[in-house]
Amino acid sequence: MHTVHAACPHDCPDTCAMSVTTEGERIVRIQGRADHPSTAGVLCTKVSRYAERTDHPERVLTPLKRVGRKGEGRFEPVSWDEALDAIAARLQALPPEAVLPYSYAGTMGLVQGDGMAARFFHRLGASLLDRTICASAGALALKQSYGASVGMHLEAFAQSRLILIWGSNAIGANLHFWRVAQEAKRAGARLVAIDPRRSETAEKCHQHIALRPGTDGALALGLMHELIVHDWLDHDYLARHVEGWPALRERALQWPPARVAATCGLTEAEVQDLARDYAHTRPAAIRLNYGMQRVHGGGNAVRLITLLPCLTGAWREAGGGLLLSASGWAKRVVRADWLQRPDLLAGRTPRTLNMSALADWLQRDAAPDFGPRVQALIVYNANPMAVLPDSRRVAQALAREDLFTVVLEHFLTDTADHADYVLPATTQLEHWDAHTSYGHTSVLLNEPAIAPRGQARSNAEVFRQLAARMGYTDACFADSDEAMARGAFSAEVDAAELARQGWFQLPLPAQPFADGGFFTPSGKAVACNADVPLPDHVPNHECAEATPALAARYPLALITPPSRHFLNSTFVNVKSLRDMEGEPQVEIHPHDAAARGIADGQHVRVFNDRGEYHGVARVGNRARPGVVNALGVWWRKMGWAGTNVNELTHGGLTDLGGAPSFHDALVDVAPL
Ligand SMILES: Nc1nc2c(c(=O)[nH]1)N[C@H]1C(S)=C(S)[C@@H](COP(=O)(O)OP(=O)(O)OC[C@H]3O[C@@H](n4cnc5c(=O)[nH]c(N)nc54)[C@H](O)[C@@H]3O)O[C@H]1N2
Ligand SMILES: Nc1nc2c(c(=O)[nH]1)N[C@H]1C(S)=C(S)[C@@H](COP(=O)(O)OP(=O)(O)OC[C@H]3O[C@@H](n4cnc5c(=O)[nH]c(N)nc54)[C@H](O)[C@@H]3O)O[C@H]1N2
Ligand code: SF4
Ligand SMILES: [Mo]
């Protein structure tokens, strides 16, 4: 028996520390590390089943070459040499910017994510990718308000007396925060969920505020209104640590409870009581998560909410403040320039394409204001066919016969089905990596526990070998995966402790903004200044307020939150997890169901002008009136009638950061 330190690679704020025990090449046990402060010995249901995913009978274990039509998923095995020679020859024949790398956070690893791959594409001069699909609205909002993606430390929530869990289904998507919130609850804290959906988390909180999707900015302004008119403000904190308060004050005064209640679909008392509780139950903390920023006004809403703890001076207290993302703490110790080598661009400035609009870019012809047509798409750590909005357009774009598509994957996903070559990738148990977290403040090392299964190769190894075939002789292409993982952090991270323990806790101040000291140029939190506009409530792209004619035809608002058992589209093909999820779930309120003759358990189609999605109706109080919750990003080929929720979502981007608005669409529902 042999045990190694590992890190969960998935796009989840918890970045658990794991230990993996093997006997020869057999995986015996995967456990959460008991001594890691955030993991505390527990992995979620999904990753507890990691052996099932790693040794899945359908794993891709040899390079594959397409023999069928694009999207059909018919391939024949080829050798690595044949595949890599063909790919390198193709890339060499194209203008560099005609090559578009497309990747996201299938693994969040610094090496298998954008380590060697970034070096390769920088050396090539390929188009750059703006990675907006998840967090860019909130990240830009945090940058504007606080100067970086920083906030309270996870452990501090244990001391809070009031926790607003705002747009986050923590039990499903941030389990180790929920553990800390439970600790606070046992010590007397009150938990409030602010979420259109009565999620697994909302139903376990003391109170659930079920606002209309995309109205969080209005609620934040309404809370500010109450703090102002009752003078529940920390004037000293505002004067010393906030820029632009007078303008924000004026704006908030335009949002009395009646207006907020009408906009958010709440009662005036809900708004007034929440403001009173927020001002008086102290320390008061806010756990925002990215769910609430996936709407048109998501960036503005995050900006407004981030300013709330500055109004009350909540930052002064241990257990007070706000956390959306902690990634900015670790960013300061990551050697990004060494890992990614942007200097290999050597003065070239390739265009940057927003991943969220992939279908647009793939369908554009060469043009002076665009550059060359995209002719090669290299996908790794991502499943755009399933997860991008407006799937029908993505499917059309990926079906382009003259587009050369390479997909590095564990499985034949919806995206891999469109590839010319599929290259078998190693999983976290088979490769080296180094990790930071966006939910806690330690960094981790991942040691391989087993040899690569079949002919799988790590992403880094594939790009290393492609570099050799392209004739790139720069020394950095010889760095091993292990050397890159061990070298990923600056000297502030004790490399010996990281190697011995598997993780290293960053030394950080316990209460980062107790006396201001934000990471903005002025050191103050910013409501507005010459560079940063004053935030406001921005209505959804699709809603009665913005598009009344559309709302008359499609009267229900759709949100598409993740399912507990899947992680975006990852794990959909793991049978035990899919069995737990059962069928594609469409939650609908009893009034809306009755008006359409829909009974609980009935099969339904959710539809709009873009497409349709089939699932089973769950009639009950998980959905608020006027809102339909369609859960999880199923693989299209495993969903009903080849559909998933992104048939219904649209390409409209968020106000800040150019992100998709996954919880901002109008639909109707009918029995199937
Ligand atoms: N089990 C599981 N865990 C995951 C993921 C997963 O797919 N499955 N995904 C991972 C990833 S990539 C991320 S980014 C994080 C995301 O983690 P969270 O940010 O927690 O994101 P979501 O679960 O997408 O959304 C949280 C909640 O936002 C609610 N919501 C939707 N629209 C609105 C709105 O307009 N206002 C408010 N207030 N709430 C709204 C949804 O109903 C949902 O309950 O989770 C990670 N963890
Ligand atoms: N409707 C709707 N759509 C959504 C969301 C939503 O809430 N609603 N959530 C959005 C969010 S928050 C996000 S972050 C995106 C996520 O979008 P993606 O990052 O594209 O995420 P996944 O669907 O998890 O696909 C990741 C893929 O990477 C592969 N992978 C994992 N590890 C490795 C590796 O080491 N090497 C290689 N080569 N491949 C690997 C996995 O097998 C998996 O197929 O989806 C978004 N889409
Ligand atoms: S998905 Fe999240 S909760 Fe689950 S093991 Fe990974 S980091 Fe931990
Ligand atoms: Mo995400």
Side-chain angles (χ1 to χ4, degrees):
M1 296 264 208
H2 182 63
T3 298
V4 300
H5 297 325
C8 174
H10 289 293
D11 188 352
C12 167
D14 299 13
T15 314
C16 289
M18 315 194 292
S19 67
V20 182
T21 305
T22 51
E23 190 170 13
E25 290 301 314
R26 195 172 64 86
I27 306 157
V28 178
R29 202 164 44 240
I30 302 178
Q31 278 179 312
R33 295 275 301 276
D35 57 348
H36 182 253
S38 151
T39 308
V42 177
L43 300 178
C44 65
T45 325
K46 305 178 289 293
V47 173
S48 313
R49 284 175 173 65
Y50 219 67
E52 190 181 338
R53 185 174 188 277
T54 306
D55 288 325
H56 195 294
E58 285 158 15
R59 224 182 117 182
V60 177
L61 294 174
T62 63
L64 299 172
K65 181 181 173 183
R66 178 165 67 91
V67 293
R69 274 180 300 106
K70 289 211 167 188
E72 209 182 351
R74 284 205 294 127
F75 297 94
E76 67 181 19
V78 290
S79 69
W80 269 108
D81 280 338
E82 183 183 336
L84 293 174
D85 286 345
I87 295 165
R90 191 67 175 249
L91 298 187
Q92 256 161 339
L94 294 174
E97 279 188 305
V99 178
L100 177 62
Y102 180 103
S103 69
Y104 201 63
T107 167
M108 305 259 300
L110 297 169
V111 178
Q112 310 303 344
D114 286 293
M116 193 58 88
R119 292 178 179 183
F120 177 80
F121 289 113
H122 284 144
R123 177 68 177 75
L124 176 65
S127 288
L128 300 170
L129 186 74
D130 194 7
R131 293 189 169 76
T132 56
I133 198 170
C134 170
S136 57
L140 185 52
L142 281 174
K143 190 166 175 54
Q144 292 185 348
S145 292
Y146 299 164
S149 290
V150 288
M152 284 174 70
H153 305 314
L154 175 69
E155 294 76 17
F157 283 88
Q159 299 172 62
S160 312
R161 300 286 296 183
L162 175 71
I163 306 180
L164 308 187
I165 304 180
W166 199 323
S168 168
N169 181 9
I171 292 181
N174 190 189
L175 189 65
H176 297 79
F177 162 76
W178 181 248
R179 182 182 56 72
V180 180
Q182 291 308 295
E183 208 178 310
K185 187 179 173 187
R186 283 192 297 274
R190 195 174 137 72
L191 308 184
V192 180
I194 305 178
D195 194 316
R197 175 174 186 243
R198 193 164 186 82
S199 66
E200 293 86 342
T201 306
E203 71 189 0
K204 294 203 169 57
C205 288
H206 296 98
Q207 188 186 0
H208 173 207
I209 298 195
L211 80 184
R212 285 202 187 101
T215 63
D216 303 84
L219 179 59
L221 284 163
L223 297 178
M224 289 182 190
H225 178 280
E226 294 300 285
L227 298 175
I228 295 166
V229 299
H230 294 99
D231 197 17
W232 293 329
L233 299 170
D234 184 333
H235 293 282
D236 175 64
Y237 198 92
L238 280 167
R240 289 198 295 128
H241 303 309
V242 180
E243 267 183 81
W245 164 239
L248 180 60
R249 184 177 180 282
E250 285 312 303
R251 178 152 291 164
L253 285 173
Q254 294 159 21
W255 287 87
R259 182 179 180 197
V260 177
T263 304
C264 301
L266 300 172
T267 64
E268 288 183 45
E270 276 175 304
V271 181
Q272 290 162 328
D273 293 349
L274 183 63
R276 189 184 344 89
D277 290 345
Y278 184 64
H280 297 296
T281 317
R282 309 188 65 135
I286 300 176
R287 181 52 164 119
L288 266 187
N289 214 327
Y290 285 110
M292 50 72 59
Q293 46 104 67
R294 306 191 204 293
V295 292
H296 185 194
N300 271 269
V302 171
R303 293 225 49 232
L304 288 163
I305 297 166
T306 55
L307 294 164
L308 284 168
C310 300
L311 267 67
T312 58
W315 287 113
R316 290 184 196 271
E317 297 155 56
L322 177 144
L323 174 64
L324 168 57
S325 168
S327 66
W329 299 116
K331 209 173 184 170
R332 301 188 297 177
V333 302
V334 173
R335 294 173 64 207
D337 285 350
W338 176 77
L339 285 164
Q340 303 177 357
R341 295 294 305 272
D343 58 296
L344 292 172
L345 283 170
R348 294 167 296 174
T349 51
R351 65 184 173 196
T352 299
L353 300 180
N354 181 348
M355 69 190 312
S356 299
L358 179 69
D360 295 345
W361 310 130
L362 294 183
Q363 280 167 328
R364 270 188 81 164
D365 288 323
D369 64 342
F370 178 59
R373 187 163 163 81
V374 176
Q375 293 178 71
L377 179 71
I378 315 293
V379 181
Y380 53 102
N381 303 339
N383 186 8
M385 184 60 256
V387 304
L388 280 173
D390 205 353
S391 306
R392 288 194 184 179
R393 294 200 59 232
V394 180
Q396 278 165 12
L398 290 176
R400 225 182 84 192
E401 268 305 324
D402 66 325
L403 177 72
F404 181 69
T405 302
V406 178
V407 177
L408 285 67
E409 252 301 350
H410 302 146
F411 296 105
L412 286 180
T413 60
D414 292 329
T415 305
D417 283 349
H418 292 80
D420 293 280
Y421 285 94
V422 181
L423 304 179
T426 46
T427 68
Q428 190 78 341
L429 304 187
E430 298 150 73
H431 57 224
W432 279 97
D433 221 323
H435 287 259
T436 61
S437 166
Y438 59 100
H440 62 69
T441 48
S442 54
V443 299
L444 301 90
L445 194 66
N446 182 75
E447 268 180 70
I450 52 173
R453 296 297 200 217
Q455 296 181 41
R457 290 184 182 172
S458 74
N459 294 345
E461 176 62 10
V462 171
F463 289 107
R464 194 179 286 116
Q465 299 213 351
L466 277 175
R469 280 177 169 73
M470 304 282 284
Y472 301 160
T473 51
D474 313 68
C476 69
F477 292 111
D479 289 345
S480 69
D481 290 21
E482 180 177 352
M484 288 179 78
R486 292 192 189 277
F489 302 111
S490 64
E492 284 167 68
V493 172
D494 181 336
E497 186 175 330
L498 178 63
R500 180 174 38 76
Q501 187 174 239
W503 51 274
F504 176 80
Q505 178 62 46
L506 298 175
L508 295 169
Q511 284 168 254
F513 309 125
D515 190 24
F518 293 93
F519 296 138
T520 54
S522 64
K524 297 182 179 191
V526 174
C528 66
N529 61 25
D531 304 317
V532 178
L534 185 66
D536 202 353
H537 167 59
V538 177
N540 275 0
H541 285 289
E542 297 190 350
C543 65
E545 201 179 337
T547 53
L550 190 70
R553 284 200 293 142
Y554 296 113
L556 299 173
L558 172 79
I559 62 171
T560 61
S563 123
R564 252 179 109 157
H565 305 108
F566 306 147
L567 203 136
N568 302 316
S569 77
T570 303
F571 297 107
V572 174
N573 63 327
V574 174
K575 190 172 179 307
S576 63
L577 292 167
R578 197 169 65 247
D579 287 348
M580 279 186 239
E581 182 67 10
E583 297 148 318
Q585 315 273 334
V586 177
E587 297 170 351
I588 184 166
H589 188 271
H591 293 163
D592 296 321
R596 290 163 178 79
I598 294 167
D600 186 44
Q602 193 167 354
H603 295 181
V604 292
R605 61 187 265 275
V606 189
F607 59 99
N608 58 22
D609 289 342
R610 288 176 290 273
E612 61 181 49
Y613 175 55
H614 293 189
V616 58
R618 295 285 173 230
V619 179
N621 70 352
R622 288 235 187 254
R624 57 159 283 152
V627 179
V628 177
N629 315 326
L631 298 195
V633 188
W634 283 70
W635 288 15
R636 284 155 64 88
K637 59 184 172 186
M638 292 189 166
W640 288 4
T643 64
N644 84 6
V645 280
N646 282 319
E647 288 265 317
L648 302 167
T649 53
H650 56 73
L653 302 178
T654 52
D655 51 352
L656 296 180
S661 33
F662 290 115
H663 303 320
D664 176 341
L666 289 172
V667 296
D668 207 344
V669 186
L672 253 183

